[in-house]
Amino acid sequence: MSAATVWLTGLSGAGKSTLAERLVAALRERGERVELLDGDELRTSLSAGLGFSRADRNTHVTRVGFVADLLARNGVWAIVPVIAPYADARAENRARHERSGSRYLEVFVATSLEECARRDVKGLYARAEAGELTGMTGLDDPYEVPTNPELRLETQGRSIEESLAEILRLIDEERTPA
């Protein structure tokens, strides 16, 4: 496998972006061509004007999936920390990659809602609790837990380095022919 999309999905505050940044650095150290497709960043460009309805979230996820597939099939690792709350949009991304012959590795960053709310990196949980924010994934908007990710990554009680090592192990296993 020369490159792939590594899609890190999970709740806000699960650790997706932190892990993605570390994964990008690790792959670059290995001499790989790699791009980070950060969901928050892409909402201001690729998906500017989209809101947070189910349709808009799915449009955002499939747009990012299109770019990720384009990169992966051209030999560039696409590292994607995007919540992607709905199973149908994640399934569409997987199907798109399969149709193009590129690899899609879904990593479910399985951090509990309580831990994500405790971390509250962006202050979103506090805003939702105060009634200033609605449609918060995991609170008043669903997060459909992946049923068959390539990796279910439990982050609580483990270091970033341990979690990163698990993702790199997955990548190395995918590269090794059966």
Side-chain angles (χ1 to χ4, degrees):
M1 172 175 57
S2 61
T5 292
V6 180
W7 195 292
L8 295 106
T9 180
L11 296 171
S12 179
K16 299 177 304 298
S17 293
T18 301
L19 285 167
E21 289 167 4
R22 298 290 296 274
L23 180 57
V24 165
L27 290 172
R28 284 190 178 139
E29 284 177 17
R30 291 180 172 190
E32 301 287 355
R33 295 171 50 208
V34 59
E35 289 294 332
L36 177 65
L37 300 179
D38 182 82
D40 291 339
E41 207 173 277
L42 291 172
R43 274 196 163 275
T44 65
S45 56
L46 183 68
S47 295
L50 291 179
F52 291 91
S53 67
R54 183 180 182 110
D56 282 356
R57 288 177 197 229
N58 278 351
T59 297
H60 172 65
V61 167
T62 56
R63 284 179 182 175
V64 176
F66 172 83
V67 174
D69 178 54
L70 185 65
L71 289 168
R73 67 186 145 119
N74 283 285
V76 180
W77 286 86
I79 309 305
V80 187
V82 172
I83 292 172
Y86 307 118
D88 55 346
R90 292 191 308 263
E92 172 54 34
N93 282 341
R94 182 180 296 279
R96 175 191 311 278
H97 281 71
E98 288 172 0
R99 286 190 303 270
S100 74
S102 60
R103 293 284 301 149
Y104 180 83
L105 304 174
E106 186 176 86
V107 176
F108 172 37
V109 184
T111 307
S112 72
L113 178 62
E114 295 75 24
E115 178 64 14
C116 291
R118 187 193 67 74
R119 293 176 185 174
D120 204 9
V121 179
K122 300 174 188 172
L124 299 175
Y125 292 97
R127 288 182 54 212
E129 175 128 349
E132 300 169 6
L133 178 68
T134 59
M136 177 76 180
T137 302
L139 294 178
D140 57 353
D141 198 65
Y143 177 79
E144 298 171 353
V145 173
T147 55
N148 279 321
E150 279 69 24
L151 176 62
R152 178 185 171 95
L153 187 60
E154 304 283 344
T155 62
Q156 288 170 247
R158 63 182 351 167
S159 70
I160 294 169
E161 290 76 20
E162 290 170 316
S163 295
L164 176 63
E166 204 165 332
I167 297 170
L168 289 169
R169 212 170 8 262
L170 169 68
I171 288 170
D172 292 341
E173 288 170 3
E174 288 292 322
R175 287 185 159 179
T176 305

